Amino acid sequence: MKHFLLVGAAALALTACAAPPPPGASPPPPSSMSGMTSMAAPPSPSAAGNATSNTVAIKDFAFAPAATTVTKGTTVTWTNSDQDAHTVTSTGSGGPLRSPTLQTGQSYSYTFATPGTFEYLCTIHPFMTATVTVTP
């Protein structure tokens, strides 16, 4: 019961502090929030999932970013940061990406000479998929 009374008294005191200004008086300026940092909105899902980069991390059983856009002639490098081995392999037949099995810390690079969208996966963990889009 004592706790309830203290909470009630605190709420009443806060309410009294926030009383509106008397009629005819201008409202007080908003209090400063110094020390507070503004919070930016998180990136939209499309922006978060599609990046312009020439590096792809293999981490937590995923390619990051999952969708990459580069210009023709760009070399993209994949680096395995997982404890498990992975590959970077084009989906379907005839794709250009065919990495060896990458152990932790190993990298694979490929230079994209033609525009298009190149889908790839890890052949050891086929649920790991991603794309590279190459523009002219």
Side-chain angles (χ1 to χ4, degrees):
M1 180 75 168
K2 187 176 182 182
H3 179 70
F4 177 74
L5 291 175
L6 290 174
V7 171
L12 182 59
L14 287 174
T15 304
C17 291
S26 60
S31 63
S32 170
M33 303 281 290
S34 63
M36 297 290 290
T37 56
S38 66
M39 293 183 59
S44 67
S46 62
N50 189 5
T52 302
S53 174
N54 62 344
T55 61
V56 177
I58 304 170
K59 187 170 172 89
D60 298 326
F61 290 89
F63 296 105
T68 302
T69 301
V70 298
T71 56
K72 180 176 122 177
T74 300
T75 299
V76 176
T77 301
W78 291 260
T79 301
N80 183 6
S81 298
D82 265 343
Q83 294 301 312
D84 287 55
H86 296 290
T87 69
V88 178
T89 308
S90 293
T91 57
S93 61
L97 302 173
R98 290 188 184 95
S99 78
T101 299
L102 301 174
Q103 300 300 326
T104 303
Q106 291 183 321
S107 296
Y108 167 72
S109 295
Y110 181 81
T111 302
F112 288 90
T114 57
T117 298
F118 301 87
E119 296 178 355
Y120 62 93
L121 55 76
C122 169
T123 56
I124 302 167
H125 310 98
F127 60 88
M128 294 173 55
T129 61
T131 60
V132 174
T133 300
V134 181
T135 60

